[in-house]
Amino acid sequence: MSCFFETKNNNDMYFQLFLKLADKESISESVEVVLETIGEIYDAKRVSIFEFDEDLFVNTYEWCAKDIEPWISKLKNEPIASLDNYYQTFMNKEYIFLPDIEEAKEVCPAGYAVLKIQGIKSWVAMPIHIGTEMLGFIAVADCNCQIDNDGIDLLKTFTNIISLRLKTVKLERNNDFLATHDRLTSVFDQVKLGKDLASIDISKGIGILNADIMGLNDINRSQGAKKGDEVLYFWSSNLKFIFNEYKVYRVCGDKFMVLCEGIDRDVFESKIIEIRTMIMKYDYQISIGSIYGNKEDGLSLEEILKAAEQDLYKNKARYYGGVDIKSGMSRDRRHWNSSSAQKSNIDFIETVQLKNFLMNNYFDM
């Protein structure tokens, strides 16, 4: 094992690094260049960046020496709690240096377990801060050189270079997100829908779900806009959860669309059953319309979209043509204020009460 500055020329290293960075247009590519440079200078087996996301941390960048298995796809959404007291060390803007990871066995058992599984023998971790914000940390594994104070200072310099790039990437991602997503529900917006429909391929099958939240204006008027926003967020979240592999869009105020490109018919129909089952459980209803099509059906995209819309309108008409079981009132809001409608609703309540009594006491209807 050699000393750090006996193996590399410091001035030449900076010069070569900035030559490489100048050649990269992508910020993400420039981060990878810095990691590669660190790996070569420290003669390491692996250099990784982990970014914090609320109570999780994610391996977002990685450089590996030749014949070293990449781990970036395996270290996703790890709980910050697994860092134990190391997280507080990072918060204090202090680094961690483990010449032998066995030292972490008692201090940080969860972190030790991860390092041990990877076969790492030594580890240096440096927090990545920009101002008061901690973005994550950079970790260098199995350096084949003696790391002294100069080596630590150099790693801090590299970390500062990386921090600016990570912040830029984060801002770019945020701008891209805002440009294509609805700010309230975080699903895709109407502009994104138009772009996706222009390039969609229906030959492998496509499922479309349209969804309208029923009575959103009444909710906003009677319970306030905040309650209406909660309802919008609730149903958009459920749509994202059920159709987790596919795209959900907020088309307008109370209307959403789910676009399932390349989905099998059976899978799509099972998801429709799942959302219908969920709708039955809640007071704030949504009405849905769905259609599945593929090349065997001989339908164009326009015909599939129209069929899904017609199915939605049919179900909305059925919904508003019915009666709310709790109140006994017609859902058709146009007739709520008429005296004849109110009399009809009173009669209906009595009818419902009678039917419920008969059913609950095991009478044949």
Side-chain angles (χ1 to χ4, degrees), residues 245-309:
E245 299 175 24
Y246 303 97
K247 294 180 178 179
V248 180
Y249 307 83
R250 187 180 180 191
V251 180
C252 61
D254 56 2
K255 185 174 180 180
F256 296 89
M257 178 183 284
V258 183
L259 205 57
C260 303
E261 185 177 2
I263 193 172
D264 292 333
R265 186 186 298 271
D266 291 343
V267 175
F268 181 70
E269 290 178 352
S270 70
K271 289 183 179 293
I272 295 300
I273 292 172
E274 190 175 351
I275 188 64
R276 287 191 185 280
T277 302
M278 181 171 286
I279 289 171
M280 296 290 289
K281 297 178 181 179
Y282 296 100
D283 292 338
Y284 300 110
Q285 297 291 306
I286 61 172
S287 183
I288 64 172
S290 62
I291 188 71
Y292 181 86
N294 55 27
K295 59 183 179 181
E296 285 79 16
D297 297 325
L299 297 175
S300 66
L301 176 60
E302 290 73 19
E303 290 171 324
I304 294 172
L305 290 170
K306 185 176 181 181
E309 193 74 11

Side-chain angles (χ1 to χ4, degrees), residues 149-267:
N149 290 335
D150 289 335
I152 293 296
D153 289 340
L154 183 62
L155 185 57
K156 288 180 181 178
T157 301
F158 279 122
T159 303
N160 291 333
I161 295 172
I162 287 171
S163 68
L164 295 173
R165 282 162 171 74
L166 288 186
K167 185 66 175 179
T168 302
V169 170
K170 192 173 182 179
L171 290 172
E172 286 179 347
R173 289 173 183 165
N174 190 48
N175 289 336
D176 289 343
F177 183 89
L178 293 176
T180 58
H181 288 73
D182 174 62
R183 297 195 180 192
L184 173 63
T185 61
S186 294
V187 300
F188 289 111
D189 59 18
Q190 190 173 18
V191 175
K192 175 66 172 171
L193 174 62
K195 292 178 180 178
D196 289 345
L197 287 175
S199 59
I200 200 166
D201 179 11
I202 65 173
S203 63
K204 296 181 180 179
I206 180 175
I208 292 178
L209 169 79
N210 286 325
D212 267 14
I213 296 177
M214 300 290 96
L216 183 62
N217 288 334
D218 293 326
I219 295 170
N220 288 332
R221 187 163 48 249
S222 62
Q223 301 182 55
K226 182 179 179 182
K227 185 63 178 179
D229 290 347
E230 289 175 0
V231 174
L232 283 166
Y233 186 78
F234 173 81
W235 282 114
S236 64
S237 298
N238 281 305
L239 288 171
K240 285 195 295 184
F241 177 77
I242 292 173
F243 296 90
N244 59 326
E245 299 175 24
Y246 303 97
K247 294 180 178 179
V248 180
Y249 307 83
R250 187 180 180 191
V251 180
C252 61
D254 56 2
K255 185 174 180 180
F256 296 89
M257 178 183 284
V258 183
L259 205 57
C260 303
E261 185 177 2
I263 193 172
D264 292 333
R265 186 186 298 271
D266 291 343
V267 175

